[in-house]
Amino acid sequence: MAKVERSLGEKLQSLPKPVLYTILILVTSIPQFFPVPLPNKESKSSEDVFNLLTTIPEDQPVLIGSDWTNSTRGESGGLFKSMIRILMRRNIKFAIYTTADPQAPQVAKDVIRLLNEERKANNQKPYEVWTDWVSVGYFANPEGTANSINNNVRAAFADKKSPDAAGAMKPVMDSPVLANVKQVSDFSALVLVTASNTSNVTIERVTKTKLAMMVTGVMGPETQVYYESGQLKGLAIGLKGCYDLETMMAKKWPGKEYVNMDNGAKYYPTLHLALLLLILAVVAGNVGMFMTRKRTVQRGS
Amino acid sequence: MDPELLLKIKMGVGVLATVGLYSVLYRENKFYRFWEHMFLGLAAGWAIVALWTESLHDDWYVKIVGNAPEAGSTAPTTPGYWAYVLLLPIGIMGYFVFSRKHNWLSRIPIGIILGLWSGQQVQVWFNRYGPQMADSIKPILPTTSSFFRPGTVGMSPTDAAAANSQVYVSDAITNIIFLITLLSAVSYFLFSVEMKNKFLKNMTVLGRMLLMVGFGAIFGSTVMMRFTLLIDRMYFIFIEFLKNGLFGGT
Amino acid sequence: MFDINLAPMLAQYYVGDQYRDTGWFGVLFTLMIALFVLFNIARAGKGKDLYIRRIPGLNAIDEAVGRATEMGRPVLMVPGLSDSVNAIVVQALNIFSYVSRIAARFSNPILLCCYNAAIYTVAQEMIRDVYQQEGLGDRFDPDSVRFISDRQFAFAAGVSGLILREQTAATFFLGDFYAESLIFAETANSIGAIQVASSTQPTQTPFFIAACDYVLIGDEFYAASAYLTRAPVLVGSLVGQDWAKLLMMSTIAVGSILGSFLMGPFSQKMISEEKVAGEYKPTKGFDEQPGPRPVKMEDTIIHQLLTPAPKGDVKVKREPDPDAPAPTDAAAPAGGGE
Amino acid sequence: MNLDLLAQAATPPSFWNAPHGSTELWTKIIIAFVVGIAFIFALMAAPHKMRRPVVAFFTFISGLYYVLYYVWPVPVAKEPGTLPLNAAENVGFWLTDALPVVAKFSNVLSGFLLGLGIFSLLRVHGRRLFKMQKDWFFSLVLILSILLMVVVGYWDWYTRLDPKTSSKLQDPANWTSINVARDFVFDGMLQQMDAAMFSLIAFYILSAAYRAFRVRSIEATILLATALIVILSLMGAVEYLWGSGVASMFGFHDTVLADGTKQTAAEAMTAANSFGGNFTLTSIRGWIQSTVQTPSIRAIDWGIGIGALAMGLRLWLSLERTSGGNS
């Protein structure tokens, strides 16, 4: 009897890693074939982002920092899509720049191309590059860029080019999107979608316009600090934030022609199971520990 | 080549690479080693490419030689600023690091980089921490005797505003906890203060405990992202590649 | 009612942008901290020996290296993933030169993995110096300090590969670590290496705590080399840093207490004038009509000192520049700030 | 001297610049380069006791810029094409104008050093390859993939140099085989490997949590408890059930509002801003995060920030043994 108990207790404490890993793979892959909608409660910070995006004036452009690539597309991708969808629905012009990764602009362009195809499919007018949005491109030095954006945005973007409607390369500042931008405060907001520490760099240096951020789950806590202190007007964190935005969009734009549910809806259910697995593993470990501990106590007495 | 097929091959390679790198979970093996070295190689190669195409070409070379306006562009001819070329010899000094006699020269470029960084610390310090300090200043005494913030449903906006403007006893307590956490945690990082008296000792101990609460919360919220990335990978392998790719979305 | 705006005292048009409203306070505060540090360095330089509290993680270093020597397996060190050399890297390398000094004496192999070429340059230099100071210059293998990759996850793959192949007995991860922290820590843990770790990123500390034997939390990392070397400069600066922390602590404590008394206590004090963007405007009451409102923390002196809000639309009359560039680039006095 | 000299404004020709492609420009460039090299030789000849001061000097000067930029009064409402009011403001003008220029320096310099890193890689693996030591094959793989990426990368970049083609190449439809190849190597391989390594962490997090989250010490228990609360609160479904549970405890029910919209118990509770609202998982997590986590992270952050500032000062003024000459 005691034998069984001991072996069980110690088994629970020392499950071989391969077993754990295999279970994790199964748990994270199988459920994806059977997506199910989940109830949700939006967190305050995501609501603030949503409210910001849905209330900013339509005649002012938004400046978007897109500092993510495919390695974090699971979270950042979903957040980015939701934001762009909202802006497109409100016909707000936007300019995208990046300081994190040379690939980021391409990644962003690809997403926008997809969303445009989606709009065509739902016979909405596609967002034209140069007239409706423009990609400023990549800047190698985050600190310097943030400084000079805050200091003189025209100067910061001066020697960046983008193909115009006809496909000829022209300075981005000549584009209809940025035509009326004299300084950074002419943007209704700067929304930074980031998976790296460009968040701190930006908070430290860009002070002259509304700042909101969409960060990965891991950056949540440290960025939360700036949200609490009011330096950020809104903050969407990771997959939860993504799902929050998607549910809020679904409430605001219930129409069939609107695609609201995307990455968030796709991954959130699976995430639950994965987290559940983690909790179970921890519980198992502790139960095992207590079982063995009890045993030693018994022996001691 | 047929783009459809190419795309599938591309995804296939991606899946192979993923599996190869995952195989280290079981143990270090030749398959992993292969992908690891390829990864390192490609990364290094890309560093060499990006160095010129994404940094030096625009930030340095074009500044030196200037550039002519393109057709249909309003930009004027920018002249070359030759002084930028002086950065090159400074960079070259770094390569003396292997010389027995003159390796000290390599400290000059490093010194410049460090100097710039250090200067920036001075420049950004307050922008970063000033607002945080301001936000940490919280009322620790209530402005009313009632303990909890009342429900404001059904109140007129004016009354609601009035009700919310109060600092309730519960708020005060929360703020006090906030301050205790902050101060005790900071005091944990006081290294030169001898914690002779009991109060200070306990304060640092408490500080460490409260730090652990913070760490727990961080761990919790990080888990979400890590799993999301894994789920996304699995989505790529099983849905995008296997389901939609190989079996054509059937 | 609480006015501490310096602008009027200085020339109306020429206060530096950063000094306007209460901006001067930030500069003052920063300079004060700098002063604390420099003053204490000077003080320590005069041979006044200053106390430093014990830092557990650091006593483990000798043990870790010793164990590696017994096993005849290498010691692996990573000075973090900073984009270029900065204080964090130098700090980590300071600790590592201490580690490799011990390793050199036991003629124990070391491996130092660098995230980028600049770090590699400094590391080469410093570690070779260590060996030469020990009179073991010939024993130094330049390949023991390696550049692995400047791509985050390629670096992670490379380093974990090394850890597994070399079966390192002790690993030191000190500096800027991001997501990859857990990859390193768990890999090293899986082969039972002794680990001393510290990340300047608070978000990574919990993972090191979960997987490593000894963790330096927060700026224990900065205290480390002072603790190890007891060099007056470092010790002095550490004391200065403590003074700075005490200054911040007291600012907040005093601010909170004063603030609470200005706001109440136990009854709401009202004000009828508030400071908006550096100017005093009549307040709005609860009913959104002009009228007194309760005092908020934002109205207190200390809060305003810490968060300057200079007046927005300032015009300064300046002479036009005769040889000013054409309007198109006039917007770009300083080129694109890549 | 005028810091503006390096700035890229279309200033009239001066000593510091010369028209694009002119012989004048190239002569100036070559002279400057030669002078620079001469300077290196001069330093090599410099006596030993000069070394530390020289390094310290360069470090100090470069740090000085940002310190000045911070403390020197920045011109208020500076408009382009205007003259400074007085000498002091003139300096302010220089500092502001030079910012984007100086901001580039550390990038460019660390860029130049990359060669050292590559050299280190090639030396380690080259030796292994030519001496046919263990794992030489993998070294071969590494070196080949460096070459592959370099060739493909630069070739692709070259095809995009001409603005006309580059705008055409925005659309994958017009890609030539080299663009496809680059896309394959970069997106298809490098980025996929990034994502793979990144997602690997999930496994480690599981095993780490499983091993470390034991109710052994008080600290471990605290860590575990908070982590669990946060994790639960991130599971929307759990949060939802918990919320409605609490709501019904406080006597709220699913209702249909006057305008016909459904309102769940939880929503009703939130709307009523009831005391019960404090007990939803989100609120508990929020409370922990804003009341305990925020300050504790702040504490760490402040320590590190001050540490960085202090270390910065020591390096800038070369008080650190390591930054300056003699070790």
Side-chain angles (χ1 to χ4, degrees):
Chain A
M1 182 61 203
K3 211 175 172 58
V4 178
E5 190 186 49
R6 179 181 71 222
S7 59
L8 177 61
E10 274 161 11
K11 267 212 207 85
L12 281 177
Q13 275 195 81
S14 55
L15 296 172
K17 280 183 183 173
V19 177
L20 278 177
Y21 295 157
T22 324
I23 303 175
L24 183 56
I25 290 184
L26 296 178
V27 167
T28 46
S29 53
I30 296 168
Q32 300 209 27
F33 292 91
F34 322 99
V36 286
L38 278 179
N40 183 37
K41 185 169 185 318
E42 298 84 8
S43 52
K44 180 85 184 63
S45 61
S46 330
E47 277 173 356
D48 286 356
V49 176
F50 187 75
N51 296 338
L52 179 74
L53 290 176
T54 46
T55 52
I56 46 179
E58 302 192 346
D59 51 357
Q60 266 179 305
V62 174
L63 183 57
I64 296 175
S66 171
D67 294 346
W68 61 281
T69 60
N70 285 325
S71 54
T72 58
R73 74 168 187 174
E75 290 194 308
S76 315
L79 290 163
F80 186 74
K81 278 186 199 166
S82 304
M83 167 172 63
I84 298 294
R85 284 200 174 102
I86 298 177
L87 293 179
M88 285 178 164
R89 280 167 205 182
R90 300 196 55 217
N91 294 315
I92 294 175
K93 297 187 184 333
F94 55 86
I96 303 180
Y97 78 99
T98 180
T99 55
D101 189 308
Q103 289 317 301
Q106 192 49 47
V107 178
K109 278 179 199 154
D110 294 344
V111 171
I112 291 170
R113 196 190 315 121
L114 286 177
L115 293 183
N116 269 331
E117 280 160 17
E118 179 181 296
R119 285 174 72 85
K120 289 199 198 93
N122 300 323
N123 46 47
Q124 297 153 327
K125 141 184 175 316
Y127 245 54
E128 298 300 342
V129 67
W130 186 260
T131 50
D132 298 326
W133 68 280
V134 61
S135 167
V136 179
Y138 167 70
F139 296 88
N141 169 322
E143 289 80 5
T145 312
N147 263 334
S148 49
I149 284 180
N150 196 47
N151 176 9
N152 178 347
V153 68
R154 289 201 78 89
F157 294 171
D159 50 16
K160 289 295 180 180
K161 296 191 171 49
S162 157
D164 67 0
M169 294 303 268
K170 294 212 185 125
V172 285
M173 270 305 166
D174 302 355
S175 77
V177 181
L178 299 174
N180 305 333
V181 174
K182 296 276 167 292
Q183 61 234 358
V184 71
S185 52
D186 294 336
F187 291 104
S188 54
L190 165 53
V191 187
L192 187 66
V193 185
T194 180
S196 69
N197 69 336
T198 53
S199 52
N200 295 345
V201 173
T202 313
I203 292 168
E204 284 160 8
R205 292 169 179 80
V206 180
T207 52
K208 294 182 186 167
T209 185
K210 284 209 194 91
L211 207 58
M213 287 197 183
M214 299 181 160
V215 300
T216 54
V218 60
M219 298 167 63
E222 55 176 323
T223 324
Q224 189 90 18
V225 178
Y226 298 105
Y227 171 72
E228 301 290 342
S229 63
Q231 283 158 287
L232 292 180
K233 296 285 166 284
L235 175 65
I237 300 171
L239 191 60
K240 175 86 169 80
C242 177
Y243 193 58
D244 287 348
L245 289 176
E246 289 176 6
T247 40
M248 283 185 280
M249 285 161 71
K251 280 189 199 136
K252 188 173 168 68
W253 290 285
K256 274 212 170 27
E257 67 277 27
Y258 295 119
V259 182
N260 296 314
M261 291 306 174
D262 201 332
N263 291 37
K266 266 191 222 143
Y267 297 161
Y268 208 41
T270 319
L271 179 66
H272 279 67
L273 296 174
L275 293 175
L276 199 62
L277 171 66
L278 180 84
I279 294 170
L280 289 179
V282 172
V283 171
N286 286 287
V287 170
M289 189 177 71
F290 279 113
M291 288 168 93
T292 41
R293 198 177 275 170
K294 218 190 303 86
R295 208 192 86 262
T296 44
V297 172
Q298 280 163 358
R299 196 197 278 145
S301 59
Chain B
M1 185 157 54
D2 161 30
E4 268 304 310
L5 179 63
L6 188 70
L7 181 65
K8 283 180 184 174
I9 298 177
K10 187 175 151 190
M11 288 173 109
V13 174
V15 171
L16 265 184
T18 310
V19 176
L21 291 171
Y22 276 11
S23 72
V24 76
L25 286 169
Y26 180 58
R27 61 180 161 74
E28 206 276 343
N29 60 66
K30 288 206 153 41
F31 192 46
Y32 171 79
R33 221 172 293 169
F34 174 81
W35 287 106
E36 174 202 337
H37 283 79
M38 173 163 277
F39 195 1
L40 288 174
L42 292 178
W46 180 249
I48 299 173
V49 176
L51 170 67
W52 183 258
T53 62
E54 269 143 17
S55 169
L56 291 187
H57 179 265
D58 294 358
D59 289 358
W60 183 67
Y61 177 72
V62 172
K63 301 284 180 219
I64 295 174
V65 302
N67 55 0
E70 285 126 13
S73 146
T74 57
T77 323
T78 42
Y81 289 80
W82 54 269
Y84 275 91
V85 84
L86 290 170
L87 288 172
L88 182 55
I90 300 181
I92 292 175
M93 292 182 192
Y95 288 76
F96 281 81
V97 68
F98 291 112
S99 126
R100 289 234 166 284
K101 202 152 156 294
H102 301 295
N103 57 356
W104 72 278
L105 280 176
S106 70
R107 295 210 183 95
I108 291 177
I110 297 297
I112 292 176
I113 297 172
L114 280 173
L116 290 168
W117 185 89
S118 311
Q120 282 217 334
Q121 294 314 300
V122 181
Q123 185 216 345
V124 300
W125 193 86
F126 197 81
N127 292 352
R128 181 164 177 181
Y129 297 108
Q132 284 190 25
M133 279 196 275
D135 175 64
S136 310
I137 295 175
K138 294 176 180 291
I140 51 175
L141 294 173
T143 57
T144 163
S145 56
S146 55
F147 194 81
F148 288 116
R149 184 178 302 275
T152 50
V153 68
M155 278 192 192
S156 77
T158 315
D159 301 349
N164 288 332
S165 74
Q166 296 278 6
V167 179
Y168 294 89
V169 180
S170 53
D171 302 336
I173 293 173
T174 302
N175 292 343
I176 290 172
I177 298 176
F178 179 100
L179 283 173
I180 290 177
T181 314
L182 183 62
L183 297 181
S184 56
V186 174
S187 67
Y188 172 76
F189 293 112
L190 293 176
F191 298 100
S192 62
V193 182
E194 218 162 339
M195 298 293 171
K196 288 201 197 75
N197 103 20
K198 196 120 190 63
F199 171 73
L200 286 174
K201 243 201 216 73
N202 297 338
M203 191 156 163
T204 50
V205 174
L206 179 68
R208 201 181 153 84
M209 297 287 170
L210 291 165
L211 280 175
M212 290 302 151
V213 177
F215 289 148
I218 293 172
F219 197 106
S221 41
T222 310
V223 167
M224 172 170 73
M225 174 205 194
R226 302 307 187 224
F227 281 167
T228 311
L229 293 178
L230 177 60
I231 295 168
D232 186 56
R233 239 355 26 206
M234 292 301 152
Y235 183 82
F236 168 71
I237 294 177
F238 286 97
I239 308 288
E240 286 182 0
F241 179 66
L242 287 179
K243 186 158 170 263
N244 305 348
L246 286 192
F247 308 111
T250 48
Chain C
M1 65 190 202
F2 317 108
D3 191 357
I4 20 73
N5 185 350
L6 268 197
M9 301 177 218
L10 297 153
Q12 181 269 335
Y13 58 84
Y14 188 59
V15 193
D17 213 2
Q18 75 269 50
Y19 293 100
R20 290 165 55 211
D21 189 41
T22 58
W24 56 271
F25 183 77
V27 183
L28 190 75
F29 203 94
T30 316
L31 294 183
M32 200 132 111
I33 292 178
L35 197 74
F36 285 170
V37 173
L38 297 178
F39 170 71
N40 280 289
I41 290 180
R43 200 158 131 251
K46 291 204 186 71
K48 189 171 184 323
D49 67 336
L50 304 156
Y51 164 89
I52 305 183
R53 84 158 159 83
R54 196 172 151 284
I55 300 172
L58 294 173
N59 307 9
I61 291 182
D62 306 38
E63 172 200 347
V65 180
R67 174 138 162 264
T69 321
E70 287 165 22
M71 303 168 120
R73 299 216 234 112
V75 178
L76 181 129
M77 296 168 273
V78 182
L81 281 77
S82 313
D83 300 333
S84 184
V85 277
N86 56 29
I88 297 167
V89 175
V90 176
Q91 176 63 23
L93 289 174
N94 285 343
I95 303 174
F96 288 163
S97 38
Y98 177 87
V99 174
S100 28
R101 180 165 278 113
I102 307 173
R105 288 184 190 143
F106 295 123
S107 64
N108 195 54
I110 62 165
L111 263 177
L112 204 157
C113 305
C114 304
Y115 179 65
N116 65 47
I119 298 179
Y120 172 74
T121 318
V122 187
Q124 264 298 336
E125 174 88 62
M126 286 177 68
I127 302 300
R128 195 201 286 109
D129 282 341
V130 168
Y131 274 78
Q132 278 165 354
Q133 284 163 25
E134 292 297 309
L136 306 164
D138 50 336
R139 227 184 257 165
F140 172 73
D141 167 14
D143 286 352
S144 60
V145 178
R146 290 186 196 177
F147 167 80
I148 302 293
S149 173
D150 61 0
R151 195 176 182 83
Q152 184 181 14
F153 288 105
F155 186 78
V159 171
S160 21
L162 269 177
I163 293 176
L164 292 169
R165 280 192 292 277
E166 306 283 339
Q167 290 287 308
T168 56
T171 57
F172 296 84
F173 305 116
L174 303 173
D176 251 338
F177 287 91
Y178 301 88
E180 68 289 338
S181 59
L182 196 58
I183 300 184
F184 295 154
E186 275 294 291
T187 315
N189 180 292
S190 70
I191 61 165
I194 294 192
Q195 302 189 64
V196 180
S198 163
S199 174
T200 50
Q201 304 293 322
T203 43
Q204 296 308 326
T205 316
F207 300 104
F208 277 145
I209 290 180
C212 298
D213 305 86
Y214 302 95
V215 180
L216 305 178
I217 300 174
D219 70 333
E220 285 181 328
F221 169 66
Y222 279 109
S225 53
Y227 181 81
L228 292 172
T229 61
R230 303 279 164 171
V233 173
L234 303 178
V235 177
S237 145
L238 194 60
V239 177
Q241 285 157 250
D242 280 3
W243 286 20
K245 286 173 206 154
L246 289 168
L247 177 66
M248 292 172 90
M249 288 167 81
S250 40
T251 313
I252 288 158
V254 172
S256 302
I257 294 167
L258 282 183
S260 327
F261 277 99
L262 290 168
M263 288 173 70
F266 312 114
S267 69
Q268 286 185 312
K269 290 208 178 80
M270 296 298 202
I271 52 169
S272 50
E273 243 198 347
E274 66 184 335
K275 194 172 175 192
V276 181
E279 287 179 304
Y280 283 90
K281 300 239 170 63
T283 55
K284 280 200 172 68
F286 297 131
D287 49 5
E288 292 304 309
Q289 300 309 318
R293 67 157 173 79
V295 180
K296 297 206 211 94
M297 265 303 169
E298 288 69 22
D299 306 319
T300 60
I301 302 172
I302 294 187
H303 196 287
Q304 292 183 0
L305 282 173
L306 292 170
T307 54
K311 189 147 149 290
D313 49 352
V314 185
K315 281 273 164 287
V316 179
K317 265 184 86 333
R318 293 193 181 87
E319 299 304 313
D321 184 348
D323 51 29
T328 42
D329 347 283
E338 286 92 340
Chain D
M1 57 137 224
N2 184 345
L3 275 176
D4 199 22
L5 59 97
L6 291 173
Q8 278 281 299
T11 42
S14 76
F15 169 67
W16 294 105
N17 66 26
H20 169 60
S22 63
T23 22
E24 180 200 358
L25 178 61
W26 283 108
T27 4
K28 279 180 170 176
I29 291 175
I30 292 163
I31 294 171
F33 182 71
V34 172
V35 169
I37 298 298
F39 180 63
I40 295 184
F41 282 108
L43 285 178
M44 286 167 76
H48 193 289
K49 66 177 194 312
M50 285 275 294
R51 297 180 172 184
R52 188 180 164 77
V54 168
V55 177
F57 171 79
F58 277 99
T59 317
F60 179 77
I61 289 299
S62 33
L64 187 63
Y65 171 74
Y66 279 106
V67 176
L68 269 185
Y69 179 79
Y70 183 53
V71 296
W72 195 275
V74 174
V76 181
K78 175 177 189 287
E79 277 149 5
T82 54
L83 288 173
L85 292 157
N86 52 32
E89 194 171 68
N90 196 4
V91 180
F93 269 48
W94 296 340
L95 291 172
T96 336
D97 291 345
L99 179 61
V101 181
V102 178
K104 287 194 196 77
F105 285 0
S106 45
N107 271 57
V108 175
L109 282 180
S110 1
F112 285 135
L113 294 179
L114 179 66
L116 280 163
I118 303 300
F119 170 73
S120 155
L121 264 184
L122 291 181
R123 190 169 61 182
V124 173
H125 290 278
R127 179 179 303 131
R128 204 189 278 164
L129 178 58
F130 292 121
K131 295 196 177 160
M132 286 285 173
Q133 288 160 337
K134 181 168 168 299
D135 284 344
W136 63 269
F137 170 73
F138 300 106
S139 301
L140 179 65
V141 173
L142 184 138
I143 291 169
L144 287 181
S145 25
I146 293 185
L147 293 178
L148 172 70
M149 182 55 103
V150 169
V151 171
V152 173
Y154 272 110
W155 191 343
D156 168 82
W157 174 74
Y158 184 73
T159 60
R160 295 167 190 269
L161 257 187
D162 170 30
K164 282 272 168 299
T165 31
S166 78
S167 56
K168 195 162 109 273
L169 288 174
Q170 299 263 340
D171 172 12
N174 314 334
W175 279 0
T176 62
S177 49
I178 187 60
N179 309 112
V180 176
R182 179 209 172 276
D183 175 70
F184 189 95
V185 179
F186 191 87
D187 294 17
M189 300 178 77
L190 194 52
Q191 298 226 310
Q192 292 294 346
M193 294 186 194
D194 276 337
M197 264 333 260
F198 207 161
S199 56
L200 204 58
I201 301 169
F203 295 96
Y204 291 130
I205 231 176
L206 179 61
S207 52
Y210 171 66
R211 194 182 58 252
F213 279 8
R214 299 283 164 86
V215 192
R216 277 203 202 83
S217 62
I218 307 170
E219 288 188 1
T221 317
I222 298 175
L223 200 75
L224 169 60
T226 10
L228 279 183
I229 294 175
V230 174
I231 291 174
L232 286 174
S233 76
L234 291 172
M235 300 165 74
V238 177
E239 164 64 24
Y240 181 83
L241 296 176
W242 181 295
S244 29
V246 174
S248 47
M249 264 173 53
F250 282 81
F252 291 94
H253 310 289
D254 301 15
T255 46
V256 178
L257 297 179
D259 57 358
T261 53
K262 281 207 186 59
Q263 191 186 39
T264 64
E267 285 166 355
M269 183 168 69
T270 330
N273 180 10
S274 145
F275 171 55
N278 300 326
F279 296 98
T280 61
L281 272 176
T282 331
S283 327
I284 298 174
R285 167 169 134 250
W287 189 86
I288 293 178
Q289 286 192 324
S290 54
T291 313
V292 184
Q293 179 198 299
T294 304
S296 46
I297 290 188
R298 243 173 230 181
I300 299 177
D301 226 21
W302 292 1
I304 290 175
I306 294 175
L309 183 62
M311 184 99 186
L313 281 169
R314 301 206 298 272
L315 292 173
W316 176 44
L317 304 172
S318 299
L319 303 172
E320 285 269 324
R321 177 180 55 82
T322 45
S323 76
N326 69 329
S327 314

